[in-house]
Amino acid sequence: MQRYSIFSLARNALTGHRNWPQAWRSPAPKPEYDVVIVGGGGHGLATAYYLAAEHGISNVAVLEKGWIGGGNTGRNTTIIRSNYLWDESAAIYEKSLQLYEGLSRELNFNIMLSQRGVLNLAHNEHDLKEMSRRVRAIRGNGVDSEILSPAEIEKLVPAINISRDLRYPILGASLQRRGGVARHDAVAWGFARGADDRGVDIVQNCEVTGITRQGGRVTGVETTLGPVKAGKVGVVVAGHASVLAEMAGLRLPIDSHPLQAMVSEPIKPVLDCVVMSNAVHVYVSQSDKGELVIGAGIDSFNSYAQRGSWHVIEGQMGALVELFPIFSRLRLMRSWGGIVDTCPDASPILSKTPVDGLYFNCGWGTGGFKATPGSGWAFAHTIARDEPHPINAAFSLDRFTTGALIDEHGAAAVAH
Amino acid sequence: MLLIHCPYCGPRDETEFGYGGEADIARPLEPEALSDAEWADYVFMRTNTRGRFKEQWVHSHGCGRWFTMVRNTVTHERGETGVFGGVEPEADG
Ligand SMILES: Cc1cc2nc3c(=O)[nH]c(=O)nc-3n(C[C@H](O)[C@H](O)[C@H](O)COP(=O)(O)OP(=O)(O)OC[C@H]3O[C@@H](n4cnc5c(N)ncnc54)[C@H](O)[C@@H]3O)c2cc1C
Ligand SMILES: [Zn+2]
C-alpha cells in the first residue's frame, strides 16, 4: 500500500496525479474463505479490517451487492457522539468514539473527523429534568457531557432563535464537546483500503442470494457470481437484515423503514456545531462545502424503496425554520433516502445465531454511523472467537427472549 | 406520500392514516402455555417482507377504522385492502 502523506501528494502532483495506485483491488471471489462478510457498508468493512488487523484472520471476503459505502453509510448525516443513557450503550458507543479519534492515523486515511460538539436542545420543563438525569448518568460512565443555559447556547450558536416566543422555546441543552461529524465515504474507503492491504478481498457487484448450511452449521453463501464456501459468515446488511435472516431460516425483531436526509445550497460558515432537537425533531450541521446537512425522521411504514415521503421533508423544514428563521430563504439542493433497520429497543444486535458459524450485526437503525469502528471491532472479536466481546455481550439476539432489553429510545433523542 | 384506499371512505392521503405494521399477528389464545421463545416471537419478531406485504392501517383522521392493505414494499404498488371481521363495507373502495 502506498502511504498517503504530504510527500506522496507532492510526488504525484509532479506527474499530474495520473499515477496514484488504486486504493484497493477488485478481485473475483475465490471459491473459499475462512470468513465471508456480507455487506460492504462501513460496519462490514470495519469488521473485515479488524479481523485482519486484530485477529490475524485475513482470508476474508467482503461481498457487496452494489458499491461499497453505497448503502446507509453513504446516505447518513454523519453525526457522531457517545452520550447514551445505559451502561451497555455507553461502553460500545464510547469505544467507537475513541476508535474514531485515532482512525485517520490508524488507517492513514483522512476521515475528516471534526469534533465540533453535538448540542441536544430541551424545550420544556420535562425535557430539562430528563436531560439533567441523563447527563449525570452519562458522566457517571466517564463520557463527557454538560448542560448549557439558553445564554450559553446563544453564545455557541448565534444563529439560533433563543426567543421565549417560540412555540417550543429553547430552555437549555446538553452538549457533548467530543461529538461531531466525519466524512462518511472516507470511513468506508479508509477501512476498505486498510482491509485490502491486509489481504481481504473486497468484491463489489456481488449479491448474496442464499446462505448454505449443513447440520446446523453454515458452509457458505450463494451469490450472483456463484457459490462461495466459508467457515464463518458475518451478515452486516442494515436494512436488508431480515432478507438475509430468512435465507438462513431465522427471524429478527427488525422492521425496515425509509429515512431521509437533505442538503441546502452552500452558504458561508454559519453553524459550527451539530444541533439536534427531539421535540421539534430536526438535526442539522454545516458541511465543509457550506451546505446545511439536515436529517429527517423515518416514514411510518415498512419499505425497501430507498425513498421517503414529501410530507416528512415538509415537517422537517418547519422545525428547522422555527429554530433558525435565518435559514428560511435557503433552497434545498438534494434529498435522498436510506433503508434503516429499526429494532424494538432502539439498540443494535451484534450476535451469534442458532446457526453455528453465522453471525448477525444489525438493528443500528437511524444511528449506526457513529458506531462504525466500534461495531466492526466488537463484531470481528465475536466472529474470530465465536463469542461476544464483553462490550457487545448484552446486544445479543436472545435479549428478546430473556427480556433484557436496552431501551435507548430516549437517548437517541432523534433519528440519526 | 402514499395514496391509501380506505375500504370505508375511499382514496385519501397517507397523512390521514396511522400505521399498524404487519397484519395477522394473532394474540396467543393460551398465553400461560407459551414458552419464552414463543413469547419473543409473538412480541418482537417480524416478517419484514421485501415485496408484497400485508399490513394494517387506521384511518385516524377519517372514519377511525382499522383495515388491512397489501402493499409492495419495494415499489409501493398497492394491492387489495381488507376489513376485519369479514364484513365488506358498502362505500366505494
Ligand atoms: C438519512 C440517514 C441519516 C442518518 N444519520 C445518521 C447520523 O447522523 N449518525 C449516525 O450515527 N447514523 C446515522 N444514520 C444511520 C447509519 O447510516 C447506519 O446505521 C449505518 O451507516 C449502517 O452501516 P452499515 O454498514 O451497517 O450499513 P450500510 O452502509 O447500509 O451497508 C450495508 C450494505 O449491505 C449491502 N447488501 C444488502 N443486501 C445485500 C446482499 N444480499 N448481498 C450483498 N450485499 C448486500 C448493501 O448494498 C449495503 O451496501 C443515518 C441513516 C440514514 C439513512
Ligand atoms: Zn376511512
Side-chain angles (χ1 to χ4, degrees):
Chain A
M1 178 175 86
Q2 191 188 91
R3 280 188 65 78
Y4 295 152
S5 68
I6 185 76
F7 304 108
S8 69
L9 188 64
R11 218 171 25 250
N12 280 283
L14 291 176
T15 52
H17 294 297
R18 279 186 299 271
N19 298 327
W20 285 105
Q22 294 244 299
W24 55 85
R25 301 160 296 132
S26 295
K30 293 192 285 195
E32 186 164 359
Y33 291 93
D34 293 341
V35 180
V36 159
I37 301 297
V38 185
H43 289 230
L45 294 163
T47 305
Y49 173 81
Y50 289 115
L51 274 172
E54 303 255 330
H55 303 279
I57 302 173
S58 55
N59 184 22
V60 175
V62 177
L63 307 181
E64 164 55 51
K65 76 171 173 179
W67 63 94
I68 59 167
N72 294 344
T73 297
R75 294 163 188 267
N76 78 89
T77 50
T78 78
I79 299 169
I80 292 173
R81 57 188 182 86
S82 62
N83 52 354
Y84 280 70
L85 178 63
W86 300 107
D87 299 354
E88 296 85 351
S89 320
I92 193 162
Y93 287 103
E94 176 58 23
K95 170 74 186 171
S96 195
L97 180 52
Q98 287 176 12
L99 288 171
Y100 260 126
E101 290 176 324
L103 202 57
S104 290
R105 197 169 287 265
E106 155 125 18
L107 297 176
N108 176 234
F109 201 103
N110 186 2
I111 61 150
M112 299 171 73
L113 176 69
S114 164
Q115 292 178 290
R116 57 183 66 180
V118 173
L119 204 60
N120 280 87
L121 305 179
H123 297 271
N124 55 48
E125 279 304 318
H126 174 77
D127 278 3
L128 274 181
K129 290 211 175 96
E130 172 67 16
M131 185 172 279
S132 74
R133 173 204 175 208
R134 219 164 254 288
V135 164
R136 274 163 225 257
I138 291 163
R139 291 168 72 116
N141 274 319
V143 176
D144 75 298
S145 189
E146 59 199 270
I147 291 190
L148 299 191
S149 68
E152 290 166 319
I153 297 168
E154 196 176 18
K155 213 164 145 221
L156 193 68
V157 191
I160 210 163
N161 184 0
I162 208 79
S163 139
R164 297 288 301 202
D165 300 337
L166 280 181
R167 178 159 180 211
Y168 303 104
I170 298 165
L171 302 185
S174 71
L175 172 66
Q176 184 178 22
R177 292 191 193 268
R178 287 166 59 240
V181 291
R183 169 110 197 263
H184 47 17
D185 296 326
V187 172
W189 297 339
F191 275 125
R193 176 167 166 270
D196 175 273
D197 182 50
R198 286 164 175 77
V200 172
D201 282 356
I202 295 163
V203 186
Q204 304 184 72
N205 298 310
C206 177
E207 179 172 352
V208 170
T209 53
I211 296 176
T212 49
R213 287 153 290 150
Q214 210 168 37
R217 205 188 151 83
V218 80
T219 55
V221 293
E222 305 281 347
T223 81
T224 46
L225 300 180
V228 179
K229 287 195 203 141
K232 295 175 177 180
V233 174
V235 179
V236 204
V237 294
H240 281 76
S242 306
V243 179
L244 271 287
E246 199 189 344
M247 293 178 194
L250 303 173
R251 273 161 70 74
L252 294 175
I254 299 273
D255 275 313
S256 296
H257 291 272
L259 178 65
Q260 301 181 88
M262 58 222 80
V263 292
S264 73
E265 57 189 321
I267 52 171
K268 287 188 176 172
V270 61
L271 183 64
D272 63 358
C273 70
V274 181
V275 176
M276 320 180 60
S277 164
N278 185 16
V280 302
H281 204 290
V282 67
Y283 42 112
V284 59
S285 66
Q286 188 173 21
S287 75
D288 293 339
K289 282 185 283 184
E291 302 159 334
L292 296 178
V293 182
I294 306 149
I298 59 171
D299 278 72
S300 66
F301 52 81
N302 288 39
S303 173
Y304 287 84
Q306 285 192 328
R307 63 173 184 271
S309 302
W310 178 250
H311 65 89
V312 176
I313 296 182
E314 259 185 325
Q316 211 53 50
M317 288 305 114
L320 179 73
V321 169
E322 159 123 332
L323 288 181
F324 296 94
I326 188 178
F327 295 157
S328 66
R329 278 170 296 156
L330 284 179
R331 276 165 296 199
L332 283 187
M333 301 277 282
R334 303 184 295 284
S335 72
W336 62 88
I339 296 301
V340 296
D341 41 342
T342 63
C343 208
D345 56 357
S347 285
I349 296 166
L350 292 98
S351 184
K352 297 173 69 166
T353 67
V355 179
D356 285 338
L358 180 65
Y359 310 85
F360 265 76
N361 181 349
C362 58
W364 292 98
T366 61
F369 176 70
K370 65 178 70 66
T372 305
S375 154
W377 187 87
F379 199 45
H381 179 106
T382 308
I383 295 172
R385 308 278 178 87
D386 192 36
E387 65 180 14
H389 187 274
I391 70 165
N392 68 302
F395 296 99
S396 70
L397 195 48
D398 68 13
R399 74 176 186 269
F400 298 96
T401 309
T402 62
L405 304 189
I406 305 160
D407 181 1
E408 285 292 357
H409 281 282
V414 295
H416 52 94
Chain B
M1 182 170 343
L2 304 178
L3 184 65
I4 295 178
H5 290 244
C6 172
Y8 303 96
C9 312
R12 300 291 172 87
D13 282 350
E14 177 201 328
T15 43
E16 291 188 13
F17 297 85
Y19 188 57
E22 183 175 336
D24 298 336
I25 300 175
R27 197 180 157 75
L29 291 176
E30 280 186 277
E32 59 288 341
L34 246 50
S35 69
D36 287 354
E38 287 167 326
W39 268 119
D41 197 77
Y42 163 68
V43 177
F44 295 118
M45 301 301 157
R46 294 295 176 261
T47 309
N48 196 19
T49 311
R50 186 179 195 275
R52 278 171 58 83
F53 180 55
K54 191 173 173 192
E55 59 197 5
Q56 33 190 19
W57 290 84
V58 57
H59 195 180
S60 334
H61 301 292
C63 64
R65 283 194 264 197
W66 284 91
F67 57 94
T68 64
M69 176 167 103
V70 173
R71 185 177 52 91
N72 186 311
T73 55
V74 181
T75 61
H76 293 176
E77 189 188 347
R78 178 174 60 92
E80 55 281 9
T81 45
V83 297
F84 290 104
V87 187
E88 292 297 331
E90 286 168 17
D92 53 328

mmCIF file of all heavy atoms in Angstrom, chain A residues 13-44:
data_model
loop_
_atom_site.group_PDB
_atom_site.id
_atom_site.type_symbol
_atom_site.label_atom_id
_atom_site.label_comp_id
_atom_site.label_asym_id
_atom_site.label_seq_id
_atom_site.Cartn_x
_atom_site.Cartn_y
_atom_site.Cartn_z
ATOM 1 N N ALA A 13 1.741 15.133 -7.560
ATOM 2 C CA ALA A 13 1.391 16.395 -8.212
ATOM 3 C C ALA A 13 2.314 16.626 -9.406
ATOM 4 O O ALA A 13 1.895 17.127 -10.452
ATOM 5 C CB ALA A 13 1.509 17.545 -7.219
ATOM 6 N N LEU A 14 3.594 16.214 -9.254
ATOM 7 C CA LEU A 14 4.567 16.419 -10.329
ATOM 8 C C LEU A 14 4.183 15.665 -11.589
ATOM 9 O O LEU A 14 4.510 16.063 -12.699
ATOM 10 C CB LEU A 14 5.963 15.958 -9.867
ATOM 11 C CG LEU A 14 6.604 16.830 -8.773
ATOM 12 C CD1 LEU A 14 7.924 16.236 -8.324
ATOM 13 C CD2 LEU A 14 6.817 18.251 -9.292
ATOM 14 N N THR A 15 3.474 14.539 -11.428
ATOM 15 C CA THR A 15 3.055 13.765 -12.605
ATOM 16 C C THR A 15 1.569 13.973 -12.882
ATOM 17 O O THR A 15 0.890 13.119 -13.457
ATOM 18 C CB THR A 15 3.361 12.267 -12.413
ATOM 19 O OG1 THR A 15 2.801 11.856 -11.150
ATOM 20 C CG2 THR A 15 4.852 12.004 -12.405
ATOM 21 N N GLY A 16 1.057 15.111 -12.447
ATOM 22 C CA GLY A 16 -0.333 15.465 -12.775
ATOM 23 C C GLY A 16 -1.361 14.535 -12.151
ATOM 24 O O GLY A 16 -2.473 14.402 -12.674
ATOM 25 N N HIS A 17 -1.012 13.895 -11.045
ATOM 26 C CA HIS A 17 -1.937 12.999 -10.308
ATOM 27 C C HIS A 17 -2.432 11.851 -11.178
ATOM 28 O O HIS A 17 -3.514 11.316 -10.947
ATOM 29 C CB HIS A 17 -3.128 13.790 -9.742
ATOM 30 C CG HIS A 17 -2.716 14.770 -8.685
ATOM 31 N ND1 HIS A 17 -2.159 14.399 -7.491
ATOM 32 C CD2 HIS A 17 -2.741 16.138 -8.674
ATOM 33 C CE1 HIS A 17 -1.873 15.465 -6.777
ATOM 34 N NE2 HIS A 17 -2.192 16.543 -7.470
ATOM 35 N N ARG A 18 -1.625 11.475 -12.196
ATOM 36 C CA ARG A 18 -2.075 10.373 -13.062
ATOM 37 C C ARG A 18 -1.603 9.013 -12.566
ATOM 38 O O ARG A 18 -2.064 7.993 -13.043
ATOM 39 C CB ARG A 18 -1.587 10.608 -14.491
ATOM 40 C CG ARG A 18 -2.467 11.593 -15.273
ATOM 41 C CD ARG A 18 -2.023 11.688 -16.717
ATOM 42 N NE ARG A 18 -0.650 12.172 -16.824
ATOM 43 C CZ ARG A 18 -0.307 13.466 -16.898
ATOM 44 N NH1 ARG A 18 -1.245 14.391 -16.913
ATOM 45 N NH2 ARG A 18 0.959 13.833 -16.983
ATOM 46 N N ASN A 19 -0.689 8.994 -11.596
ATOM 47 C CA ASN A 19 -0.076 7.713 -11.224
ATOM 48 C C ASN A 19 -0.439 7.217 -9.823
ATOM 49 O O ASN A 19 0.252 6.377 -9.265
ATOM 50 C CB ASN A 19 1.460 7.819 -11.338
ATOM 51 C CG ASN A 19 1.874 8.116 -12.765
ATOM 52 O OD1 ASN A 19 1.206 7.671 -13.705
ATOM 53 N ND2 ASN A 19 2.930 8.898 -12.937
ATOM 54 N N TRP A 20 -1.497 7.746 -9.258
ATOM 55 C CA TRP A 20 -1.925 7.225 -7.953
ATOM 56 C C TRP A 20 -2.306 5.754 -8.119
ATOM 57 O O TRP A 20 -3.022 5.410 -9.062
ATOM 58 C CB TRP A 20 -3.137 7.983 -7.427
ATOM 59 C CG TRP A 20 -2.843 9.353 -6.889
ATOM 60 C CD1 TRP A 20 -3.120 10.538 -7.509
ATOM 61 C CD2 TRP A 20 -2.239 9.674 -5.639
ATOM 62 N NE1 TRP A 20 -2.715 11.579 -6.714
ATOM 63 C CE2 TRP A 20 -2.172 11.085 -5.549
ATOM 64 C CE3 TRP A 20 -1.739 8.908 -4.578
ATOM 65 C CZ2 TRP A 20 -1.630 11.743 -4.455
ATOM 66 C CZ3 TRP A 20 -1.212 9.558 -3.478
ATOM 67 C CH2 TRP A 20 -1.155 10.963 -3.430
ATOM 68 N N PRO A 21 -1.869 4.885 -7.209
ATOM 69 C CA PRO A 21 -2.306 3.483 -7.316
ATOM 70 C C PRO A 21 -3.761 3.354 -6.870
ATOM 71 O O PRO A 21 -4.275 4.213 -6.155
ATOM 72 C CB PRO A 21 -1.374 2.762 -6.334
ATOM 73 C CG PRO A 21 -0.959 3.793 -5.348
ATOM 74 C CD PRO A 21 -0.968 5.120 -6.062
ATOM 75 N N GLN A 22 -4.415 2.287 -7.303
ATOM 76 C CA GLN A 22 -5.772 2.003 -6.841
ATOM 77 C C GLN A 22 -5.748 1.813 -5.326
ATOM 78 O O GLN A 22 -4.812 1.209 -4.787
ATOM 79 C CB GLN A 22 -6.256 0.707 -7.472
ATOM 80 C CG GLN A 22 -6.431 0.811 -8.977
ATOM 81 C CD GLN A 22 -7.865 0.630 -9.352
ATOM 82 O OE1 GLN A 22 -8.437 -0.408 -9.091
ATOM 83 N NE2 GLN A 22 -8.446 1.623 -9.957
ATOM 84 N N ALA A 23 -6.777 2.306 -4.644
ATOM 85 C CA ALA A 23 -6.787 2.216 -3.183
ATOM 86 C C ALA A 23 -7.074 0.789 -2.707
ATOM 87 O O ALA A 23 -6.696 0.398 -1.621
ATOM 88 C CB ALA A 23 -7.795 3.187 -2.606
ATOM 89 N N TRP A 24 -7.798 0.019 -3.520
ATOM 90 C CA TRP A 24 -7.987 -1.401 -3.215
ATOM 91 C C TRP A 24 -8.194 -2.150 -4.515
ATOM 92 O O TRP A 24 -8.554 -1.566 -5.524
ATOM 93 C CB TRP A 24 -9.169 -1.649 -2.255
ATOM 94 C CG TRP A 24 -10.474 -1.068 -2.729
ATOM 95 C CD1 TRP A 24 -11.378 -1.638 -3.579
ATOM 96 C CD2 TRP A 24 -11.018 0.216 -2.390
ATOM 97 N NE1 TRP A 24 -12.436 -0.801 -3.794
ATOM 98 C CE2 TRP A 24 -12.244 0.331 -3.071
ATOM 99 C CE3 TRP A 24 -10.577 1.269 -1.571
ATOM 100 C CZ2 TRP A 24 -13.040 1.472 -2.971
ATOM 101 C CZ3 TRP A 24 -11.381 2.395 -1.471
ATOM 102 C CH2 TRP A 24 -12.594 2.488 -2.161
ATOM 103 N N ARG A 25 -7.909 -3.469 -4.467
ATOM 104 C CA ARG A 25 -8.049 -4.294 -5.685
ATOM 105 C C ARG A 25 -9.528 -4.584 -5.943
ATOM 106 O O ARG A 25 -10.366 -4.350 -5.086
ATOM 107 C CB ARG A 25 -7.325 -5.633 -5.501
ATOM 108 C CG ARG A 25 -5.840 -5.543 -5.216
ATOM 109 C CD ARG A 25 -5.353 -6.843 -4.568
ATOM 110 N NE ARG A 25 -6.000 -7.035 -3.265
ATOM 111 C CZ ARG A 25 -6.575 -8.167 -2.862
ATOM 112 N NH1 ARG A 25 -6.593 -9.233 -3.632
ATOM 113 N NH2 ARG A 25 -7.151 -8.256 -1.668
ATOM 114 N N SER A 26 -9.841 -5.127 -7.097
ATOM 115 C CA SER A 26 -11.200 -5.588 -7.376
ATOM 116 C C SER A 26 -11.138 -7.049 -7.818
ATOM 117 O O SER A 26 -11.325 -7.357 -8.991
ATOM 118 C CB SER A 26 -11.851 -4.744 -8.469
ATOM 119 O OG SER A 26 -12.014 -3.428 -8.019
ATOM 120 N N PRO A 27 -10.859 -7.954 -6.873
ATOM 121 C CA PRO A 27 -10.670 -9.350 -7.259
ATOM 122 C C PRO A 27 -11.993 -10.077 -7.504
ATOM 123 O O PRO A 27 -13.035 -9.655 -6.995
ATOM 124 C CB PRO A 27 -9.959 -9.956 -6.041
ATOM 125 C CG PRO A 27 -10.429 -9.123 -4.894
ATOM 126 C CD PRO A 27 -10.726 -7.752 -5.436
ATOM 127 N N ALA A 28 -11.937 -11.151 -8.287
ATOM 128 C CA ALA A 28 -13.085 -12.056 -8.378
ATOM 129 C C ALA A 28 -13.084 -12.885 -7.098
ATOM 130 O O ALA A 28 -12.022 -13.125 -6.518
ATOM 131 C CB ALA A 28 -12.943 -12.958 -9.593
ATOM 132 N N PRO A 29 -14.269 -13.302 -6.637
ATOM 133 C CA PRO A 29 -14.273 -14.083 -5.395
ATOM 134 C C PRO A 29 -13.563 -15.436 -5.560
ATOM 135 O O PRO A 29 -13.687 -16.072 -6.600
ATOM 136 C CB PRO A 29 -15.765 -14.276 -5.098
ATOM 137 C CG PRO A 29 -16.493 -13.978 -6.358
ATOM 138 C CD PRO A 29 -15.628 -13.065 -7.167
ATOM 139 N N LYS A 30 -12.805 -15.837 -4.552
ATOM 140 C CA LYS A 30 -12.198 -17.168 -4.533
ATOM 141 C C LYS A 30 -13.279 -18.190 -4.173
ATOM 142 O O LYS A 30 -14.330 -17.819 -3.644
ATOM 143 C CB LYS A 30 -11.081 -17.209 -3.483
ATOM 144 C CG LYS A 30 -9.886 -16.329 -3.833
ATOM 145 C CD LYS A 30 -8.685 -16.618 -2.932
ATOM 146 C CE LYS A 30 -8.858 -16.053 -1.539
ATOM 147 N NZ LYS A 30 -7.651 -15.983 -0.724
ATOM 148 N N PRO A 31 -13.027 -19.476 -4.435
ATOM 149 C CA PRO A 31 -14.063 -20.468 -4.108
ATOM 150 C C PRO A 31 -14.299 -20.612 -2.600
ATOM 151 O O PRO A 31 -15.369 -21.030 -2.180
ATOM 152 C CB PRO A 31 -13.515 -21.790 -4.673
ATOM 153 C CG PRO A 31 -12.282 -21.460 -5.439
ATOM 154 C CD PRO A 31 -11.863 -20.064 -5.129
ATOM 155 N N GLU A 32 -13.303 -20.240 -1.789
ATOM 156 C CA GLU A 32 -13.459 -20.495 -0.358
ATOM 157 C C GLU A 32 -12.694 -19.470 0.495
ATOM 158 O O GLU A 32 -11.589 -19.068 0.128
ATOM 159 C CB GLU A 32 -12.932 -21.901 -0.037
ATOM 160 C CG GLU A 32 -13.177 -22.309 1.392
ATOM 161 C CD GLU A 32 -13.026 -23.806 1.631
ATOM 162 O OE1 GLU A 32 -12.750 -24.542 0.669
ATOM 163 O OE2 GLU A 32 -13.194 -24.212 2.795
ATOM 164 N N TYR A 33 -13.302 -19.089 1.622
ATOM 165 C CA TYR A 33 -12.664 -18.167 2.572
ATOM 166 C C TYR A 33 -12.856 -18.687 4.001
ATOM 167 O O TYR A 33 -13.767 -19.476 4.263
ATOM 168 C CB TYR A 33 -13.299 -16.771 2.481
ATOM 169 C CG TYR A 33 -13.003 -16.038 1.201
ATOM 170 C CD1 TYR A 33 -13.866 -16.126 0.117
ATOM 171 C CD2 TYR A 33 -11.861 -15.253 1.069
ATOM 172 C CE1 TYR A 33 -13.600 -15.454 -1.069
ATOM 173 C CE2 TYR A 33 -11.590 -14.572 -0.112
ATOM 174 C CZ TYR A 33 -12.458 -14.681 -1.176
ATOM 175 O OH TYR A 33 -12.186 -14.007 -2.350
ATOM 176 N N ASP A 34 -12.002 -18.212 4.898
ATOM 177 C CA ASP A 34 -12.238 -18.508 6.320
ATOM 178 C C ASP A 34 -13.494 -17.780 6.796
ATOM 179 O O ASP A 34 -14.321 -18.336 7.498
ATOM 180 C CB ASP A 34 -11.041 -18.054 7.172
ATOM 181 C CG ASP A 34 -9.788 -18.874 6.878
ATOM 182 O OD1 ASP A 34 -9.932 -19.986 6.319
ATOM 183 O OD2 ASP A 34 -8.672 -18.401 7.175
ATOM 184 N N VAL A 35 -13.596 -16.504 6.381
ATOM 185 C CA VAL A 35 -14.759 -15.708 6.799
ATOM 186 C C VAL A 35 -15.293 -14.925 5.600
ATOM 187 O O VAL A 35 -14.513 -14.310 4.872
ATOM 188 C CB VAL A 35 -14.388 -14.693 7.913
ATOM 189 C CG1 VAL A 35 -15.610 -13.877 8.321
ATOM 190 C CG2 VAL A 35 -13.787 -15.391 9.133
ATOM 191 N N VAL A 36 -16.604 -14.983 5.402
ATOM 192 C CA VAL A 36 -17.250 -14.120 4.417
ATOM 193 C C VAL A 36 -18.086 -13.089 5.168
ATOM 194 O O VAL A 36 -18.868 -13.434 6.059
ATOM 195 C CB VAL A 36 -18.133 -14.932 3.446
ATOM 196 C CG1 VAL A 36 -19.177 -14.035 2.781
ATOM 197 C CG2 VAL A 36 -17.278 -15.596 2.372
ATOM 198 N N ILE A 37 -17.888 -11.819 4.848
ATOM 199 C CA ILE A 37 -18.713 -10.743 5.393
ATOM 200 C C ILE A 37 -19.695 -10.333 4.300
ATOM 201 O O ILE A 37 -19.285 -9.992 3.188
ATOM 202 C CB ILE A 37 -17.846 -9.521 5.788
ATOM 203 C CG1 ILE A 37 -16.791 -9.902 6.835
ATOM 204 C CG2 ILE A 37 -18.721 -8.378 6.290
ATOM 205 C CD1 ILE A 37 -17.350 -10.367 8.164
ATOM 206 N N VAL A 38 -20.976 -10.370 4.607
ATOM 207 C CA VAL A 38 -21.996 -9.954 3.643
ATOM 208 C C VAL A 38 -22.352 -8.504 3.922
ATOM 209 O O VAL A 38 -22.820 -8.184 5.014
ATOM 210 C CB VAL A 38 -23.258 -10.845 3.750
ATOM 211 C CG1 VAL A 38 -24.246 -10.472 2.642
ATOM 212 C CG2 VAL A 38 -22.893 -12.317 3.693
ATOM 213 N N GLY A 39 -22.112 -7.634 2.939
ATOM 214 C CA GLY A 39 -22.432 -6.217 3.100
ATOM 215 C C GLY A 39 -21.182 -5.373 3.223
ATOM 216 O O GLY A 39 -20.428 -5.487 4.190
ATOM 217 N N GLY A 40 -20.946 -4.535 2.222
ATOM 218 C CA GLY A 40 -19.765 -3.666 2.217
ATOM 219 C C GLY A 40 -20.097 -2.244 2.596
ATOM 220 O O GLY A 40 -19.690 -1.291 1.939
ATOM 221 N N GLY A 41 -20.857 -2.073 3.679
ATOM 222 C CA GLY A 41 -21.006 -0.743 4.272
ATOM 223 C C GLY A 41 -19.856 -0.540 5.241
ATOM 224 O O GLY A 41 -18.960 -1.384 5.364
ATOM 225 N N GLY A 42 -19.888 0.577 5.949
ATOM 226 C CA GLY A 42 -18.836 0.861 6.919
ATOM 227 C C GLY A 42 -18.660 -0.256 7.940
ATOM 228 O O GLY A 42 -17.541 -0.667 8.251
ATOM 229 N N HIS A 43 -19.785 -0.779 8.457
ATOM 230 C CA HIS A 43 -19.687 -1.794 9.508
ATOM 231 C C HIS A 43 -19.066 -3.091 8.983
ATOM 232 O O HIS A 43 -18.273 -3.720 9.674
ATOM 233 C CB HIS A 43 -21.073 -2.101 10.085
ATOM 234 C CG HIS A 43 -21.636 -0.995 10.929
ATOM 235 N ND1 HIS A 43 -22.141 -1.193 12.187
ATOM 236 C CD2 HIS A 43 -21.772 0.333 10.684
ATOM 237 C CE1 HIS A 43 -22.572 -0.035 12.692
ATOM 238 N NE2 HIS A 43 -22.370 0.902 11.784
ATOM 239 N N GLY A 44 -19.438 -3.499 7.759
ATOM 240 C CA GLY A 44 -18.881 -4.727 7.196
ATOM 241 C C GLY A 44 -17.398 -4.570 6.913
ATOM 242 O O GLY A 44 -16.588 -5.468 7.209
#
